[in-house]
């Protein structure tokens, strides 16, 4: 069958601004950081995604690669995505796409200071806590289902993504 994802190198003009991941690192580089602070740093990205959700809870196929680490905030506060090399043949389901984005983002943050005691460091728990901060009512079962679905990009990219138990063992590096 035809691969649902397409990789195509793109050539786009430079976007002046700051990388959103810089804002996240500013939060996690301070002792006692919280989920709320991380969610606030990521909110411009999430707000842009929310604007593009369709009635069945899907994102446009061009948003498959619209992750926090592919996000620039311009001087006027506008959110711009870059490096969108991966697209899909159809719109993509929200939760598997977001779970993928957060999983890769957590790995790109690098080392973090010890957070507040109530802040989860295990990847799925942190993703769930962020989603709840943004007003979503998902459960850990939903996160697991989104991780294990075939509609998830990393299955196609990594070919050897961690299974659920391995994912639950991954923590932000403190």
């Amino acid at each position: 069958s035809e691969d649902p994802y397409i990789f195509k190198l793109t050539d786009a003009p430079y976007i002046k601004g700051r990388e959103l991941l810089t804002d996240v690192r500013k939060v996690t580089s301070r002792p006692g950081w919280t989920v709320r602070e991380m969610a606030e740093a990521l909110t411009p990205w999430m707000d842009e995604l929310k604007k593009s959700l369709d009635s069945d809870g899907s994102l446009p196929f061009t948003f498959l690669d619209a992750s926090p680490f592919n996000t620039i905030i311009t001087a006027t506060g506008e959110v711009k995505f870059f490096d969108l090399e991966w697209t899909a043949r159809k719109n993509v389901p929200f939760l598997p796409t977001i779970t993928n984005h957060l999983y890769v983002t957590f790995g790109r943050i690098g080392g973090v200071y010890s957070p507040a005691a109530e802040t989860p460091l295990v990847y799925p728990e942190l993703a769930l806590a962020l989603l709840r901060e943004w007003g979503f009512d998902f459960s850990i079962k939903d996160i697991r289902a989104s991780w294990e679905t075939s509609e998830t990009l990393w299955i196609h990219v990594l070919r050897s993504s961690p299974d659920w138990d391995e994912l639950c063992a991954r923590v932000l590096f403190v």
Side-chain angles (χ1 to χ4, degrees):
S1 85
E2 191 173 46
D3 194 335
Y5 302 111
I6 304 159
F7 179 80
K8 182 178 179 187
L9 287 175
T10 57
D11 187 19
Y14 176 77
I15 303 168
K16 189 173 181 178
R18 73 180 187 282
E19 288 186 50
L20 183 65
L21 208 50
T22 301
D23 296 348
V24 176
R25 288 183 180 126
K26 284 180 184 176
V27 167
T28 60
S29 66
R30 294 188 319 261
W33 61 272
T34 65
V35 170
R36 173 161 286 155
E37 292 170 325
M38 182 184 256
E40 287 171 359
L42 289 165
T43 290
W45 165 74
M46 180 52 66
D47 285 351
E48 197 66 25
L49 297 181
K50 284 179 176 180
K51 286 186 222 173
S52 300
L53 275 172
D54 64 18
S55 61
D56 72 348
S58 294
L59 291 166
F61 66 93
T62 55
F63 276 50
L64 185 66
D65 213 8
S67 62
F69 53 87
N70 286 345
T71 303
I72 295 287
I73 308 298
T74 67
T76 61
E78 192 176 358
V79 174
K80 297 279 191 179
F81 297 120
F82 68 96
D83 203 21
L84 303 179
E85 299 158 334
W86 286 98
T87 61
R89 297 189 187 282
K90 62 180 184 169
N91 285 357
V92 292
F94 176 78
L95 191 56
T97 303
I98 298 311
T99 304
N100 179 57
H101 291 333
L102 291 174
Y103 166 72
V104 178
T105 297
F106 295 159
R108 291 186 180 201
I109 290 173
V112 301
Y113 265 93
S114 294
E118 70 279 0
T119 302
L121 291 175
V122 175
Y123 280 22
E125 293 171 11
L126 181 55
L128 180 61
L130 288 168
L131 285 160
R132 288 183 174 164
E133 283 292 327
W134 293 317
F136 295 100
D137 190 28
F138 295 114
S139 69
I140 200 69
K141 287 181 183 181
D142 297 324
I143 299 291
R144 182 176 186 160
S146 75
W147 182 258
E148 294 176 335
T149 182
S150 64
E151 293 183 310
T152 306
L153 178 62
W154 60 79
I155 292 170
H156 300 273
V157 175
L158 302 178
R159 305 276 186 225
S160 62
S161 62
D163 66 23
W164 178 252
D165 292 332
E166 292 169 323
L167 180 68
C168 289
R170 292 198 181 186
V171 297
L172 290 184
F173 181 72
V174 178

